Amino acid sequence: MALDALKSALPGYAGDLRRNLTSVVDDGPLPERQLWGALLACAIAVRSAAVLRAVAPEARRRLTPEAYEAAGAAAAAMAANNVFFRARHLLSDPGYGHLRTGLRTNVLGARGVPKADYELWCVAVSAVGGCGACLDEHEAALRRTGADRETVQEALKVAALVHAAGTVLDAQEALGAG
């Protein structure tokens, strides 16, 4: 399912979602590499087969192989980190914050793409994952690269819209309407 087909598959009650996807993807301010990397990373993060099938082929065409790989790496790293750091933050015992994490994070040095792109993708995936600690860490790293708040907000929009599309399309499939 191509991205246009994905938008067409959204039911009538998701008209705003369809329009917002069009606005962010077709008319948004993010450069193509940042946009399509965020779309791919979020499509992986939301775990919706319909969304991933719609986004991945187009992302492969629009991204260099290195950027495609780095967007996947951001999704993979944040899948673990979002759960770990969100859970550690939610525990009432602050002593867990002093323990060694013990999780490998070599990929966080993203090879082949600018740091700003990788950090933007980590922000977007962390929004999907709901980890405040990861959002704070990667938003600060992204801002240190010179990105403004509007850029961060665009990443959050991508995350919200990809998540919503996955939710709606998976619901449609479960109801036999997709």
Side-chain angles (χ1 to χ4, degrees):
M1 177 186 303
L3 197 55
D4 286 337
L6 179 141
K7 290 187 278 189
S8 296
L10 293 169
Y13 67 80
D16 285 341
L17 174 56
R18 185 181 312 105
R19 286 183 287 280
N20 287 329
L21 274 167
T22 298
S23 175
V24 168
V25 173
D26 296 341
D27 303 319
L30 288 179
E32 184 173 70
R33 185 178 57 231
Q34 287 185 345
L35 172 66
W36 282 96
L39 286 165
L40 177 61
C42 289
I44 294 167
V46 302
R47 298 179 296 202
S48 168
V51 171
L52 189 55
R53 282 192 303 267
V55 171
E58 185 71 15
R60 192 171 292 283
R61 284 189 290 278
R62 292 176 179 262
L63 296 170
T64 64
E66 295 82 10
Y68 189 93
E69 182 77 10
M78 292 299 100
N81 288 348
N82 286 175
V83 170
F84 181 84
F85 288 105
R86 181 179 64 239
R88 193 162 80 168
H89 171 77
L90 291 171
L91 289 169
S92 59
D93 182 348
Y96 288 101
H98 302 292
L99 297 177
R100 182 179 167 285
T101 302
L103 296 175
R104 296 181 63 102
T105 55
N106 293 338
V107 74
L108 293 180
R111 299 164 198 69
V113 296
K115 183 171 179 57
D117 294 0
Y118 187 79
E119 293 297 341
L120 182 128
W121 302 336
C122 289
V123 166
V125 173
S126 294
V128 171
C131 179
C134 295
L135 278 166
D136 282 345
E137 180 68 29
H138 292 284
E139 183 270 349
L142 178 58
R143 295 293 305 277
R144 285 192 300 272
T145 70
D148 56 21
R149 286 183 178 88
E150 289 75 15
T151 299
V152 173
Q153 183 162 295
E154 285 301 310
L156 300 178
K157 287 181 193 178
V158 169
L161 296 171
V162 171
H163 173 74
T167 299
V168 169
L169 293 175
D170 288 356
Q172 289 297 106
E173 183 180 328
L175 296 171

